[in-house]
């Protein structure tokens, strides 16, 4: 079974541009998580969905960030407009949504905003 | 507030030796789950081991085992017979078993280097 798939693996963009990160969770998983990892702040949960519904978006930094999950097999994280401080590795993870609810991570997208 | 603390930012160990990474947490919950994740230089986050708080027996996965002390709120990871491939960042994570709560709380990580 394929794991969590993220695309692109690397993204380099210029400040002010729109960036869209994509995630395909493991089939059958109904919880999906977006994380951001930086040296300064470590691993931060941005938002998570359960059954395609956003449950907790308290970690989303500001209005420039938005996330959607239109169906059980796809989610996007969008940054518009992007800023250099958004440079980080963004991880998507999915889980079954029931105990113990182990999260399985994708390979991450390394975003660089120039 | 629930917190997870990893007090060792960096550690090193000789190949074939044993190393223990520490993790403490703070919670008022009585039932919860604890996890150790490994992040090698490839940056892929890999689940190493899991412990349910209601189980007294310490979890073991091959060379990886935990020392779970519920009263002390301690959850250390022991790696036996360390291998070069164990070089990675290790994160401790906590999740309360409260229904509908699926968020993890992660520690800041311990960078482990296995020396040849």
């Amino acid at each position: 079974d394929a794991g969590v798939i993220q695309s692109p693996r690397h993204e380099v963009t210029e400040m002010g541009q729109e960036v869209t990160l994509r995630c395909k969770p493991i089939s059958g998983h109904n919880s999906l998580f977006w994380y951001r990892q930086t040296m300064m702040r470590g691993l931060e949960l941005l938002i998570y969905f359960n059954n395609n519904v956003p449950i907790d978006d308290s970690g989303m930094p500001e209005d420039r960030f938005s996330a959607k999950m239109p169906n059980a097999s796809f989610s996007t994280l969008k940054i518009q407009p992007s800023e250099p401080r958004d440079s980080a590795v963004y991880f998507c993870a999915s889980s079954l949504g029931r105990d113990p609810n182990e999260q399985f991570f994708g390979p991450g997208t390394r975003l660089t905003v120039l | 507030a629930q917190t997870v603390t990893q007090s060792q930012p960096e550690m090193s160990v000789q190949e074939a030796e044993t190393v223990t990474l520490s993790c403490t947490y703070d919670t008022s919950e009585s039932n919860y789950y604890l996890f150790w994740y490994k992040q090698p230089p490839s940056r892929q986050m890999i689940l190493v081991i899991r412990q349910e708080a209601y189980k007294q027996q310490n979890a073991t996965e091959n060379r990886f085992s935990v020392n779970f002390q519920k009263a002390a709120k301690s959850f250390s990871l022991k790696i036996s017979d360390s291998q070069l491939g164990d070089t990675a960042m290790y994160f401790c994570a906590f999740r309360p078993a409260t229904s509908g709560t699926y968020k993890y709380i992660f520690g800041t990580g311990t960078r482990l280097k296995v020396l040849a």
Side-chain angles (χ1 to χ4, degrees):
Chain A
D1 186 20
V4 175
I5 299 172
Q6 289 187 247
S7 65
R9 294 293 306 275
H10 303 273
E11 177 81 28
V12 180
T13 191
E14 293 190 346
M15 183 174 64
Q17 297 297 306
E18 177 180 296
V19 175
T20 299
L21 310 182
R22 297 173 175 80
C23 175
K24 178 178 169 56
I26 293 172
S27 177
H29 283 191
N30 59 12
S31 291
L32 184 138
F33 307 79
W34 281 102
Y35 291 89
R36 177 172 69 177
Q37 186 177 37
T38 61
M39 289 293 292
M40 292 297 294
R41 300 174 69 91
L43 199 59
E44 303 173 275
L45 176 66
L46 300 177
I47 185 171
Y48 84 92
F49 295 84
N50 196 41
N51 293 322
N52 311 338
V53 176
I55 301 300
D56 185 342
D57 65 355
S58 59
M60 294 287 263
E62 49 198 274
D63 292 346
R64 297 185 297 106
F65 286 69
S66 62
K68 293 183 179 179
M69 192 164 187
N71 57 61
S73 59
F74 184 66
S75 176
T76 59
L77 178 68
K78 186 177 292 186
I79 308 172
Q80 166 64 17
S82 58
E83 297 181 2
R85 61 191 168 122
D86 302 330
S87 297
V89 179
Y90 291 81
F91 287 100
C92 175
S94 71
S95 70
L96 281 170
R98 63 173 186 267
D99 287 341
N101 208 52
E102 297 166 0
Q103 293 184 21
F104 295 84
F105 284 75
T109 295
R110 180 176 292 280
L111 173 65
T112 302
V113 183
L114 303 174
Chain B
Q2 294 155 339
T3 58
V4 174
T5 301
Q6 293 180 250
S7 59
Q8 305 152 313
E10 293 186 356
M11 295 187 73
S12 62
V13 62
Q14 288 294 135
E15 196 175 8
E17 297 294 309
T18 295
V19 64
T20 299
L21 310 182
S22 67
C23 172
T24 58
Y25 56 93
D26 189 19
T27 184
S28 57
E29 302 275 343
S30 58
N31 196 19
Y32 46 86
Y33 299 91
L34 295 160
F35 307 87
W36 278 98
Y37 278 84
K38 169 185 177 181
Q39 187 179 36
S42 68
R43 81 169 180 246
Q44 176 77 52
M45 292 280 284
I46 303 164
L47 178 66
V48 174
I49 200 164
R50 178 191 82 224
Q51 176 78 42
E52 291 88 344
Y54 60 84
K55 290 186 178 179
Q56 293 187 338
Q57 186 172 7
N58 289 324
T60 299
E61 287 287 342
N62 300 314
R63 297 181 296 106
F64 298 87
S65 61
V66 300
N67 183 4
F68 174 49
Q69 302 288 328
K70 191 172 184 179
K73 298 180 181 175
S74 171
F75 181 60
S76 60
L77 174 70
K78 185 171 83 170
I79 306 174
S80 303
D81 186 25
S82 298
Q83 301 176 0
L84 296 178
D86 296 333
T87 292
M89 194 79 165
Y90 287 83
F91 292 95
C92 177
F94 165 94
R95 183 183 83 80
T98 306
S99 176
T101 301
Y102 300 129
K103 290 171 61 171
Y104 280 16
I105 300 165
F106 279 95
T108 52
T110 295
R111 187 175 302 280
L112 176 67
K113 187 169 185 178
V114 180
L115 306 171

